[in-house]
Amino acid sequence: MSQSRPTIESGFSESLLMRLDATNALFPCITLAIVSLRLFIVIPLIAICIAIVVAIALAAYRGKLHMAGYIGIALAAFAAAMILGKISGIRGVSGTAIGLFLSVLFFFAISAVLGSIAALVFYKPPPEPEDNK
């Protein structure tokens, strides 16, 4: 199995990948950070995840749900995130469009977990109704 030398047509990323092949075993994130940085996915993903955390914490501050509800959301979202993460890491799924979609859902579920934990901190019980007799 001989590897062909990178040509001008193969581009910079292939050449860099071949040079980083030896260090790939030690630093797997180098290739991801340098060569295949996907800002068009990462930036909106960060924004949406922060929005999910803030929305759940804000709902808790307004007293929209009870404490047990936020704990249930955290547990259910964590279980779903672990399942989604495991499925998206399977060899046949990883690197495909379905794998990317499952990874995005994983991050949404983790942000729901973090939002539910923040909700436990910011929770304000709803006011007691006054009895007018």
Side-chain angles (χ1 to χ4, degrees):
M1 292 179 29
S2 65
Q3 291 183 347
S4 63
R5 296 190 61 108
T7 62
I8 295 174
E9 292 86 24
S10 66
F12 174 73
S13 61
E14 267 186 53
S15 173
L16 185 61
L17 280 174
M18 290 179 72
R19 288 186 187 132
L20 291 175
D21 194 34
T23 61
N24 242 358
L26 299 175
F27 304 106
C29 293
I30 290 176
T31 305
L32 179 64
I34 294 174
V35 177
S36 61
L37 186 62
R38 306 282 189 237
L39 289 179
F40 67 93
I41 294 173
V42 173
I43 300 297
L45 182 64
I46 290 171
I48 293 171
C49 288
I50 290 172
I52 290 171
V53 171
V54 169
I56 293 174
L58 187 62
Y61 181 73
R62 292 182 179 176
K64 297 291 182 186
L65 193 63
H66 47 80
M67 293 285 280
Y70 292 112
I71 294 170
I73 290 172
L75 291 174
F78 184 74
M82 292 300 108
I83 292 169
L84 289 170
K86 190 69 170 174
I87 292 172
S88 69
I90 294 174
R91 183 179 298 266
V93 178
S94 180
T96 64
I98 294 173
L100 178 65
F101 179 71
L102 291 175
S103 297
V104 168
L105 288 180
F106 167 80
F107 281 102
F108 289 165
I110 290 296
S111 64
V113 170
L114 294 176
S116 296
I117 292 171
L120 297 176
V121 174
F122 295 114
Y123 178 73
K124 186 166 86 173
E128 297 283 330
E130 295 181 22
D131 292 332
N132 295 333
K133 291 184 182 182

